[in-house]
Amino acid sequence: MASADVQQPPAEPAPGVPDYLASPNAVFDDEGVQWRYGRAPDYSKTRKVWEDGRKMHHEAGSLPQLVENLVKNWEVEASFKPRLQDWRTIDHKNYTFAINGGPPQTAEHMLKVGTYNAIIAPNEYYSPENSDFASSHKTFKRMMPTFAWEVLEVYSGPPKVAFKWRHWGVMKNDYVGFNDKGDKVTAKAHGGPIDIEGVTVASVDDAVRLQSVETWFDPLEMFRQIAPKGIVNKEVMNRKVAMEDALDAAKPDMDVVKIAQVYNDPSSELMKDVKPEVRLLTRVSSSTGEAADAFVPHQGADVESTAVETGCVAKTEDAPTIAQQLVEAAAVQGTDADIIKPETNFEEKHSDTSSDTDKSWEKVEEQDSSLPDDAVNPAAAATLHADDLGTNPTPSTTDDKGYPFNNSTDASSADNAFDASTDSNAVLQPSIYSSAVTGHYSPILAASSDPSFVDESRALGTFDAVDEHLESSAKEVHPFPSTAEEAVHPGPGEAVVAPAGSEEVRLTHEEMSSLGNAGGCPFLMNRE
């Protein structure tokens, strides 16, 4: 008797890969969402710099590439989507973000204070307590037109993903920010690279959306590279200036919010002079021939590169989770993977009103509706402290590579070297934070001393109107008084400080707190 053919059950279809894992530019195409400047930002320049300047070339569908794409899409949403319900890259019910072992913060917190203020602890160069949303973006985006980001290594796969990353750019113009004392700090541009690294551990759900995110990095390393020669003058002016009455009413820690509200009110007289919108050239990816920030699955993969890094999910005896199956399918199918577009799960979080925690979003919406999203209260950023995060280490006489510090000084003597009440022209010893590069900072300062130095934008062919603007006079890029700088004449890589109560600081706060539209500051639309 002939044996009957046995019908094999059909194979389970491979799970679809979420678009935010397949491409770094997935969320740019989202429909029905609110964008901070009325339209999706233009990241083509940043993506071009990333594509041509990165160290790693991850294989299509590999775990490192999926993680890199996820974080890139998350950053776009955190920076440019002012409504939480439009964020698709996070699990709204379980999302938190923490820096250097600090307390977990909600998405609402980051949305209020901005991405910079959410990750940088107060220090002598910058403080989120004295910077609102607008001024924080001007501080860093006026300094660097692009700040590209890449994943270097991935150490583990879902449900807990651990990875090392790199953030890099070029210091085109002066750094101007407000520090933990409310002082204005100006560091003269050196035209050289800013390159930092860190480690992140993130839990993800079955759709590989971010849940708890914990990041560790040294925020002061960026400032050491911004001002490798440290702060050369702590104060050069007498606090008791002629406009004493005006200064008493305009101390930054009291009036930043009011300044931001006035300058960001569309009906304000001050908004009549907003510059017309500037449209920049869209950069084209050399690997796809499309716009560098267009949705192209697995964009930028270079499987022939010798630096290809493959990722895999750790094998266990337990059945793989849905997230692990998804990642495995992406690795097997590569560019042939079926791409899906998951919706936000924002409503799932807020459908349960029994939890006080879940009601935190309502408190955000109860703010003054007459204010734009960018007019924020800097006091809300005061939850990150240098002592809590361990970002004020005890100074050493050598750096982490064994180089001796040129400016080694006892921390206690440095703290006592300046007394504004008795010496209005006192000069502090060079900052103890200028340590990691002090003594071997010539590569960073090469651009200011070597006429043949070619910066990244020119080398990669991405030089445009933003670069031209930022390479112009600092007075054009920073249209506010620079009395402290004019008195000291700092060189590239050196920083000076104007005191918190000065008229210079008040006027700088006014200008930097006005965000207007992206047309007035085109560089606000192109960052990572």
Side-chain angles (χ1 to χ4, degrees):
M1 183 174 67
S3 61
D5 292 335
V6 178
Q7 187 72 27
Q8 296 293 329
E12 288 288 334
V17 177
D19 57 349
Y20 48 74
L21 298 182
S23 170
N25 308 315
V27 299
F28 291 136
D29 295 330
D30 287 358
E31 298 179 356
V33 302
Q34 183 181 113
W35 293 104
R36 187 168 296 282
Y37 301 114
R39 61 182 174 87
D42 179 356
Y43 267 49
S44 64
K45 179 176 180 177
T46 294
R47 295 293 190 254
K48 177 69 174 175
V49 169
W50 160 77
E51 182 178 11
D52 296 338
R54 58 191 166 146
K55 292 182 178 180
M56 308 307 298
H57 296 259
H58 304 303
E59 186 174 0
S62 67
L63 183 57
Q65 192 200 54
L66 301 183
V67 172
E68 186 171 83
N69 291 344
L70 172 63
V71 175
K72 285 177 178 290
N73 281 294
W74 165 83
E75 186 278 329
V76 172
E77 293 193 315
S79 297
F80 292 97
K81 286 184 176 180
R83 298 190 312 185
L84 277 181
Q85 58 262 44
D86 294 332
W87 293 22
R88 297 195 293 121
T89 55
I90 68 171
D91 175 14
H92 286 268
K93 295 184 68 174
N94 299 292
Y95 175 81
T96 59
F97 186 89
I99 292 290
N100 293 336
Q105 302 292 346
T106 64
E108 289 87 351
H109 170 78
M110 179 170 286
L111 197 58
K112 288 191 295 181
V113 304
T115 50
Y116 297 107
N117 286 341
I119 66 175
I120 300 178
N123 60 76
E124 70 168 354
Y125 289 95
Y126 183 83
S127 173
E129 298 170 354
N130 292 313
S131 304
D132 56 35
F133 186 103
S135 64
S136 70
H137 278 250
K138 285 188 177 182
T139 288
F140 296 103
K141 293 182 179 181
R142 280 176 169 173
M143 179 181 68
M144 291 186 290
T146 60
F147 200 23
W149 188 91
E150 69 171 331
V151 165
L152 296 177
E153 296 180 274
V154 177
Y155 306 116
S156 64
K160 182 157 288 192
V161 184
F163 56 95
K164 181 180 180 180
W165 49 263
R166 171 184 175 236
H167 224 345
W168 77 98
V170 173
M171 189 180 185
K172 293 276 188 174
N173 210 294
D174 295 355
Y175 165 86
V176 179
F178 304 101
N179 69 9
D180 54 356
K181 304 295 190 299
D183 303 326
K184 169 189 168 185
V185 179
T186 301
K188 297 304 295 179
H190 52 61
I194 305 295
D195 200 323
I196 62 175
E197 296 180 359
V199 174
T200 296
V201 177
S203 297
V204 297
D205 66 2
D206 287 344
V208 195
R209 292 175 297 203
L210 295 170
Q211 294 180 317
S212 66
V213 179
E214 298 177 273
T215 290
W216 289 267
F217 79 114
D218 180 3
L220 288 175
E221 176 59 23
M222 177 172 65
F223 296 106
R224 295 185 191 111
Q225 295 182 34
I226 289 172
K229 291 187 177 181
I231 296 177
V232 294
N233 276 70
K234 193 69 176 181
E235 183 176 350
V236 297
M237 296 173 294
N238 192 327
R239 289 177 184 267
K240 295 183 179 180
V241 295
M243 300 183 66
E244 185 173 1
D245 293 339
L247 297 182
D248 288 341
K251 291 184 179 179
D253 59 348
M254 296 171 57
D255 281 2
V256 169
V257 177
K258 183 183 296 183
I259 290 170
Q261 291 174 1
V262 172
Y263 273 77
N264 289 309
D265 182 357
S267 63
S268 170
E269 289 291 322
L270 301 171
M271 295 302 296
K272 291 184 177 180
D273 296 327
V274 172
K275 297 179 181 179
E277 185 173 1
V278 177
R279 289 279 182 168
L280 299 175
L281 178 66
T282 298
R283 299 296 169 179
V284 176
S285 167
S286 57
S287 64
T288 67
E290 304 287 342
D293 59 353
F295 180 84
V296 179
H298 307 294
Q299 180 180 1
D302 182 3
V303 296
E304 297 181 357
S305 170
T306 57
V308 165
E309 284 285 316
T310 59
C312 61
V313 177
K315 303 298 183 181
T316 66
E317 295 181 359
D318 299 330
T321 66
I322 296 176
Q324 290 173 338
Q325 294 177 40
L326 188 155
V327 170
E328 191 68 30
V332 172
Q333 298 179 61
T335 56
D336 296 326
D338 181 31
I339 308 300
I340 60 175
K341 193 180 183 74
E343 298 292 332
T344 177
N345 71 340
F346 178 83
E347 295 299 332
E348 294 179 16
K349 172 183 178 181
H350 302 304
S351 62
D352 179 10
T353 59
S354 61
S355 170
D356 291 337
T357 302
D358 286 347
K359 291 182 181 180
S360 59
W361 66 287
E362 297 175 354
K363 298 176 183 178
V364 176
E365 296 180 351
E366 289 172 1
Q367 297 179 89
D368 186 352
S369 59
S370 65
L371 300 180
D373 296 304
D374 301 330
V376 299
N377 186 343
T383 52
L384 297 180
H385 298 281
D387 291 339
D388 294 338
L389 303 186
T391 54
N392 288 331
T394 301
S396 171
T397 57
T398 59
D399 65 8
D400 54 354
K401 295 183 180 179
Y403 289 90
F405 299 159
N406 284 354
N407 303 320
S408 297
T409 180
D410 179 72
S412 59
S413 64
D415 290 339
N416 296 325
F418 173 70
D419 185 351
S421 63
T422 58
D423 187 355
S424 62
N425 294 310
V427 177
L428 267 187
Q429 294 296 318
S431 166
I432 61 171
Y433 296 116
S434 306
S435 55
V437 292
T438 300
H440 58 104
Y441 48 73
S442 55
I444 292 179
L445 299 180
S448 63
S449 58
D450 183 3
S452 64
F453 178 86
V454 180
D455 72 34
E456 190 174 53
S457 61
R458 295 181 187 276
L460 301 179
T462 62
F463 188 88
D464 58 17
V466 171
D467 294 282
E468 184 177 8
H469 171 66
L470 295 183
E471 289 185 4
S472 63
S473 168
K475 291 185 178 180
E476 294 182 29
V477 179
H478 305 283
F480 40 69
S482 302
T483 311
E485 178 187 335
E486 292 165 359
V488 179
H489 298 292
E494 295 179 335
V496 296
V497 167
S502 68
E503 179 72 352
E504 175 180 354
V505 171
R506 185 183 72 82
L507 294 175
T508 302
H509 264 293
E510 287 186 356
E511 193 280 328
M512 293 183 68
S513 292
S514 63
L515 204 50
N517 62 17
C521 299
F523 49 82
L524 294 177
M525 294 290 284
N526 193 326
R527 279 298 294 273
E528 188 161 47

